[in-house]
């Protein structure tokens, strides 16, 4: 027998002798101390278990977001390139391509807190204090129009925030309700009670039976299109109280737009006299090509057009430079336009 074979046989015999002992205990390390476990146990549960004492508001959160998060998620949480959008998406969950954000999809605010505290900022995870995490989360909620800018998010006010999709999830009870139907003798014929209705349609294979629906009358289609094309006209009279409310809403716009006597073009154009002004007409500001073209084609910022644009700028005008996701609340839209009406050229 060669030396190599002798050595192999010897090592194999030793490993077989040592295996029971190694399987029982490796003999490495020590038991973690309770303090060490507590330091790593940062779970925050939907019922508030684990939520630390602390507080922060959207104003402080905006500053932190600008330095720690905006490089990926944009100044307004609108997302940059393929980085996730953190704001918007309300009422899109039934779309083919829904936008899932804290505002539209996440059922528990505790999940957002836990994720931010544990995983953010990217590349420097775990460095945020509890107060900074509260403030960042407050800014994200503010960007989703779920709180006002003066709302202080804390362990005491945490459950004052209503998550829009809190009731959008159901308990997975398939083990009790469906498994029994799948097991035992499989059903191969007439398995569904009559009448059978089509609830979904195949998107790739043309296998779903076509339903012979009666075509709506031509006049009906015209009436619906006309109703969709004509947004509700806002009253032209100036409402000082409403404008005061709009000034608060305008705080979301101030990082890019200025109004008033000393206003200057910044990331966005001056908005003095914007109501009733042709689109793309502020002197000295470099507009996107679509905005400039819209102005040349006769678009005028009436109150109705401004409201439609501010509700969702990118949907209203594809290619606009405006990164802001839009104002979701109709009251905010009407109020901020009323505020802008108070600034003439």
């Amino acid at each position: 027998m060669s030396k190599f074979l002798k050595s192999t046989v010897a090592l194999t015999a030793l490993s077989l002798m040592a295996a029971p002992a190694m399987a029982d205990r490796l003999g490495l390390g020590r038991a973690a101390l309770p303090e060490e476990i507590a330091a790593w146990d940062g779970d925050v549960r939907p019922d508030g278990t684990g939520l630390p004492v602390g507080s922060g508001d959207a104003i402080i959160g905006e500053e932190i977001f600008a330095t720690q998060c905006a490089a990926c998620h944009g100044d307004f949480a609108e997302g940059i390139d393929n980085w996730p959008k953190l704001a918007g998406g309300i009422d899109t969950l039934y779309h083919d391509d829904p936008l899932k954000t804290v505002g539209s999809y996440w059922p528990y605010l505790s999940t957002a807190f836990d994720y931010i505290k544990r995983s953010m900022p990217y590349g420097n995870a775990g460095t945020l204090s509890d107060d900074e995490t509260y403030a960042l989360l407050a800014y994200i909620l503010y960007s989703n129009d779920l709180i006002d800018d003066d709302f202080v998010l804390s362990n005491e006010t945490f459950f004052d925030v209503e998550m829009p999709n809190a009731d959008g999830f159901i308990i997975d009870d398939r083990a009790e309700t469906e498994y029994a139907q799948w097991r035992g003798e499989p059903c191969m014929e007439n398995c569904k009670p009559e009448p059978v209705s089509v609830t979904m349609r195949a998107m790739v294979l043309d296998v779903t039976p076509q339903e012979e629906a009666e075509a709506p009358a031509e006049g009906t289609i015209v009436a619906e299109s006309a109703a969709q094309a004509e947004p509700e006209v806002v009253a032209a009279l100036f409402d000082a109280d409403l404008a005061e409310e709009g000034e608060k809403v305008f705080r979301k716009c101030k990082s890019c737009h200025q109004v008033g006597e000393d206003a200057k073009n910044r990331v966005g154009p001056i908005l003095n006299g914007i109501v009733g002004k042709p689109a793309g007409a502020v002197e000295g500001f470099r507009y996107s090509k679509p905005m400039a073209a819209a102005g040349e084609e006769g678009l005028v910022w009436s109150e109705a057009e401004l409201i439609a644009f501010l509700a969702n700028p990118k949907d209203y005008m594809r290619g606009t430079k405006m990164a802001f996701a839009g104002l979701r609340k109709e009251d905010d839209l009407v109020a901020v336009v009323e505020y802008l009406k108070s600034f003439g050229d």
Side-chain angles (χ1 to χ4, degrees):
M1 183 178 292
S2 68
K3 290 183 178 179
F4 174 76
L5 288 175
K6 289 180 179 177
S7 299
T8 302
V9 170
L11 288 173
T12 302
L14 286 172
S15 64
L16 290 173
M17 294 171 61
M22 293 180 66
D24 181 54
R25 186 179 179 84
L26 294 175
L28 300 175
R30 58 172 173 77
L33 300 173
E35 296 81 3
E36 293 171 330
I37 295 175
W40 281 97
D41 184 10
D43 288 1
V44 177
R45 303 299 177 86
D47 63 359
T49 301
L51 198 62
V53 175
S55 64
D57 60 31
I59 297 174
I60 297 173
E62 182 179 18
E63 297 176 3
I64 301 171
F65 194 90
T67 58
Q68 302 274 19
C69 316
C72 298
H73 298 294
D75 290 332
F76 306 104
E78 78 279 11
I80 294 178
D81 297 331
N82 291 327
W83 296 101
K85 297 177 175 62
L86 305 183
I90 298 293
D91 298 329
T92 68
L93 297 184
Y94 61 90
H95 292 181
D96 292 340
D97 186 19
L99 175 56
K100 297 179 179 179
T101 69
V102 171
S104 68
Y105 181 71
W106 293 39
Y108 301 123
L109 190 57
S110 57
T111 311
F113 186 97
D114 189 301
Y115 182 79
I116 293 171
K117 185 72 167 66
R118 190 188 304 273
S119 307
M120 293 288 127
Y122 182 72
N124 206 14
T127 59
L128 295 171
S129 68
D130 293 333
D131 286 346
E132 289 173 330
T133 306
Y134 277 112
L136 264 182
L137 185 54
Y139 179 67
I140 293 172
L141 293 173
Y142 173 69
S143 299
N144 281 281
D145 289 320
L146 297 181
I147 62 171
D148 294 327
D149 60 348
D150 56 356
F151 179 85
V152 178
L153 183 67
S154 71
N155 54 300
E156 296 180 348
T157 63
F158 204 73
F159 292 102
D160 292 343
V161 179
E162 296 183 5
M163 301 297 283
N165 199 37
D167 298 325
F169 288 78
I170 60 174
I171 301 297
D172 185 0
D173 60 352
R174 288 174 295 178
E176 294 78 24
T177 61
E178 298 184 18
Y179 284 4
Q181 301 178 34
W182 303 341
R183 298 175 181 182
E185 192 65 25
C187 176
M188 303 300 292
E189 185 178 359
N190 298 326
C191 302
K192 290 285 186 182
E194 297 291 343
V196 176
S197 60
V198 176
T199 59
M200 297 184 70
R201 293 185 172 278
M203 299 180 65
V204 178
L205 301 176
D206 186 16
V207 296
T208 309
Q210 296 297 320
E211 294 179 341
E212 298 297 333
E214 183 178 352
E218 183 176 352
T220 303
I221 297 175
V222 173
E224 290 178 352
S225 299
Q228 294 174 356
E230 293 294 337
E232 184 179 355
V233 177
V234 182
L237 297 177
F238 182 71
D239 184 330
D241 292 337
L242 184 60
E244 188 174 340
E245 292 298 317
E247 183 177 8
K248 299 176 184 176
V249 180
F250 189 74
R251 294 172 186 170
K252 295 184 177 181
C253 318
K254 290 175 70 173
S255 60
C256 297
H257 296 282
Q258 291 189 344
V259 291
E261 184 177 353
D262 299 324
K264 297 178 181 178
N265 290 327
R266 300 181 67 182
V267 175
I270 299 169
L271 296 183
N272 291 342
I274 190 65
V275 180
K277 178 179 288 188
V282 173
E283 186 176 352
F285 185 77
R286 187 175 181 180
Y287 288 94
S288 64
K289 290 181 180 178
M291 184 65 77
E296 292 172 359
E297 293 169 2
L299 175 62
V300 174
W301 290 126
S302 65
E303 294 177 45
E305 292 293 347
L306 267 179
I307 288 173
F309 178 65
L310 294 175
N312 194 326
K314 291 189 179 300
D315 273 3
Y316 181 95
M317 183 174 293
R318 187 178 297 274
T320 178
K321 291 165 60 177
M322 186 151 156
F324 184 57
L327 296 169
R328 184 168 61 88
K329 298 178 182 176
E330 184 175 349
D331 289 349
D332 287 350
L333 289 163
V334 175
V336 78
V337 169
E338 196 70 10
Y339 174 67
L340 292 174
K341 285 166 59 179
S342 65
F343 293 93
D345 281 323

